[in-house]
Amino acid sequence: MSTQGQAIADLWDRTFNKGDTTGLGKLYSEDGQVIPAGGSPVRGAEGIAAFFADLQAKGFKDHKITVQDAVEKGDILILTGRWSLSGPGEGGATQSYGGNWVNVLERRGDGWSTVLHIWN
């Protein structure tokens, strides 16, 4: 596991969990995209921020990413691992969700921006 990769994932989790969806959108590149499990791609910082704001409005919370592997190839960083969060289930009960997670990031100056975020 990459310490740097987990730090990037932890920043994403903190930003999501405090409800800062505008800040979340800023973690993505201008041409970044999110491809949700079974869903259509969402592109750009504003669209991504709106997508996650909608998830939060539906009651999804307590997101946690565990990075299991990191591969750095020049200005590209590929992170893979597991994700989990809680949200509404059948009958209004809180349910746990989780699965596999992949983030592809591009070096921008002295930091990283997500260009592709996908999960199942």
Side-chain angles (χ1 to χ4, degrees), residues 34-104:
V34 167
I35 304 176
S40 299
V42 179
R43 290 178 171 47
E46 288 182 18
I48 290 168
F51 172 82
F52 287 114
D54 183 57
L55 277 183
Q56 289 183 335
K58 291 176 180 172
F60 290 95
K61 58 185 180 180
D62 303 324
H63 197 278
K64 175 67 180 145
I65 299 165
T66 302
V67 175
Q68 295 173 321
D69 192 41
V71 176
E72 192 171 335
K73 294 182 177 237
D75 287 339
I76 301 294
L77 178 61
I78 303 165
L79 303 175
T80 59
R82 304 281 299 165
W83 65 274
S84 64
L85 86 161
S86 60
E90 290 189 33
T94 299
Q95 181 174 331
S96 294
Y97 297 88
N100 296 306
W101 167 89
V102 177
N103 255 21
V104 178

